Amino acid sequence: MKIHEYQAREILAKHGVPVPRAEVATSPAEARAVAERLGGSVVVKAQVLVGGRGKAGGVKLAAGPAEAEEIAGRILGMDLKGITVRRVLVAEAVNIQKELYLGVTIDRSRQAVVAMGSAEGGVEIEEVARTAPDKIIKVYAHPMLGFADFHARQLAYGMGLAPSFASDFTRIMRGLYNAMVATDASLVEINPLVIVDGKLLAIDSKILLDDNALYRHKDLEALRDLDEDDPYERAAREEGLNFVKLDGNIGCVVNGAGLAMATMDVVKLYGGDPANFLDIGGGARAESVAAALKIILSDPKVEAVLFNIFGGITRCDEVAKGIVAAQGQLERKVPMVVRLLGTNEEEARRILAEASLISATTMEEAAQKVVAQLKQG
Ligand code: GDP
Ligand code: MN
């Protein structure tokens, strides 16, 4: 789950990371009032869950309260990469001498937290990784001790920072690490981390939270911005389904995350393109199958659906009934290929045959059949 800059900066500040003074505003008049409180020039920043707001016109400097009001009037309500801006952050503007990058994330292959730093700040780090990977310095945290002072110095000097920044940099890096651990984040990033009057300051903060750990953080779950949620993923979450939207045209309804991954692979192998990852879970009942189908078919790109259900706890006849019931309620009909295996599979096949659904016995056969359906259409 992504959270907004204004939320991420609060978390970082709590962990000792220096951030400029700032307040959120939801109207031009409020932006003016904030600018008056801050004094001097300010920067007005759109609060939307996308990167590259600066380039898209969502970050603007204002000389004082009157200009802040005028700029907030332009940014609020504007469409930024498909999202309507509802809030701005009005921050004290600073005189930037240099923009750096600093982030912590998880390196799965190393099974470690990695800190990445670069003297090429301000631009998206993926861009730096692509064009000049040697400009990204990495150090790996100790699994028990986290980052030690020497790790921080190694990173700071690698980024070309002078020794006078070492102690500030160490504190900031520790702050990022502690914020990551405390919130179960998968990414904590400052871009840019800037040099202002010989000091380091975090100008933009980003935190990605691990969805699977959110149950431990009710306070963070409350930060979710429902306005910017993917509508499909939100609907799935409300039904307790594990769903990830993808770009293809074959909807997949599967029980078990491993089987869902394997199903997507097999669909790809036979030339198809999955529209989603979906794990309806063990013990899936007719209602969750119906809910899953509704979510999948609300995506107009979906032209066929593949069910791959292994019935251990799940009863295949229940699932078959769910599919048939759901099919009756659907506004849009698409070909459906069903593979059901396990508990009560004979009964399931009978139900499917009566409803004239295409069935398959192996995963390969199911994938080939669903791809063939698209070719016919
Ligand atoms: P992003 O484009 O969504 O990553 O938004 P950022 O918060 O990173 O802002 C984009 C750019 O605006 C930064 O890289 C800076 O160059 C510039 N910027 C942001 N705040 C200030 C500020 O206080 N003073 C100055 N001079 N530039 C700023
Ligand atoms: Mn940024």
Side-chain angles (χ1 to χ4, degrees):
M1 176 179 122
K2 290 181 190 167
I3 59 172
H4 285 289
E5 175 193 9
Y6 74 89
Q7 300 163 330
R9 73 195 294 281
E10 292 297 319
I11 294 173
L12 288 185
K14 235 189 274 167
H15 287 91
V17 175
V19 296
R21 291 187 300 144
E23 286 175 50
V24 173
T26 54
S27 70
E30 247 177 78
R32 181 191 192 106
V34 175
E36 271 160 9
R37 277 197 288 279
L38 294 174
S41 58
V42 294
V43 50
V44 182
K45 312 177 75 176
Q47 298 297 292
V48 285
L49 299 175
V50 291
R53 295 164 302 166
K55 266 194 207 148
V59 178
K60 296 266 183 245
L61 284 165
E67 205 184 345
E69 178 171 5
E70 188 237 317
I71 288 173
R74 268 188 280 144
I75 293 181
L76 285 164
M78 121 189 210
D79 183 291
L80 210 82
K81 299 185 180 180
I83 303 170
T84 307
V85 181
R86 292 181 166 82
R87 286 181 219 94
V88 290
L89 183 72
V90 181
E92 164 179 50
V94 292
N95 209 346
I96 298 176
Q97 271 130 27
K98 178 143 187 58
E99 301 198 16
L100 311 157
Y101 172 92
L102 179 63
V104 291
T105 186
I106 294 161
D107 185 327
R108 290 176 193 278
S109 57
R110 291 260 200 144
Q111 303 183 8
V113 171
V114 60
M116 295 183 290
S118 178
E120 308 281 311
V123 289
E124 284 192 31
I125 198 66
E126 292 81 5
E127 180 67 18
V128 182
R130 209 165 45 78
T131 55
D134 53 311
K135 296 214 167 117
I136 300 175
I137 319 295
K138 294 180 181 177
V139 297
Y140 296 88
H142 185 280
M144 303 300 292
L145 308 173
F147 292 111
D149 289 8
F150 77 88
H151 281 125
R153 280 196 299 273
Q154 207 178 319
L155 196 56
Y157 300 157
M159 291 163 65
L161 282 173
S164 58
F165 290 107
S167 70
D168 279 358
F169 188 84
T170 303
R171 195 158 49 86
I172 293 171
M173 199 166 138
R174 286 243 171 82
L176 288 198
Y177 181 79
N178 292 338
M180 180 187 212
V181 173
T183 60
D184 282 316
S186 53
L187 173 81
V188 181
E189 183 180 90
I190 304 174
N191 191 22
L193 174 68
V194 302
I195 301 179
V196 185
D197 304 326
K199 285 201 166 63
L200 294 170
L201 192 64
I203 289 291
D204 184 15
S205 313
K206 176 175 170 182
I207 295 183
L208 292 184
L209 299 169
D210 181 347
D211 290 325
N212 292 316
L214 273 178
Y215 74 97
R216 307 207 288 196
H217 306 279
K218 293 287 175 254
D219 53 328
L220 297 175
E221 172 71 50
L223 301 182
R224 189 187 294 280
D225 187 339
L226 292 173
D227 290 332
E228 290 192 34
D229 243 7
D230 178 279
Y232 303 120
E233 293 188 8
R234 189 197 320 168
R237 196 169 51 243
E238 283 162 4
E239 295 290 343
L241 304 166
N242 192 357
F243 177 86
V244 181
K245 174 95 190 64
L246 300 169
D247 289 329
N249 53 1
I250 299 176
C252 301
V253 182
V254 188
N255 65 334
L259 189 60
M261 301 291 279
T263 304
M264 290 161 59
D265 281 349
V266 175
V267 166
K268 277 261 181 202
L269 184 68
Y270 290 106
D273 222 351
N276 64 280
F277 165 95
L278 172 65
D279 169 13
I280 60 172
R285 314 219 121 240
E287 302 81 65
S288 37
V289 173
L293 255 189
K294 221 172 270 165
I295 292 163
I296 286 178
L297 287 176
S298 58
D299 175 359
K301 266 169 64 185
V302 172
E303 294 170 57
V305 175
L306 169 60
F307 289 84
N308 190 9
I309 305 289
F310 180 79
I313 305 169
T314 309
R315 281 173 42 200
C316 293
D317 56 326
E318 266 286 333
V319 177
K321 273 185 220 153
I323 297 170
V324 174
Q327 203 195 20
Q329 298 163 16
L330 295 173
E331 289 154 28
R332 202 157 67 85
K333 305 268 184 255
V334 300
M336 296 193 190
V337 177
V338 187
R339 179 202 179 216
L340 287 170
L341 198 76
T343 313
N344 294 358
E345 64 177 77
E346 298 80 14
E347 174 64 7
R349 264 199 286 276
R350 200 188 53 73
I351 295 168
L352 293 177
E354 263 173 25
S356 54
L357 285 151
I358 307 160
S359 61
T361 42
T362 68
M363 203 143 115
E364 287 77 9
E365 187 194 341
Q368 281 167 314
K369 280 188 169 166
V370 76
V371 172
Q373 284 300 315
L374 290 183
K375 295 217 173 98
Q376 280 171 21

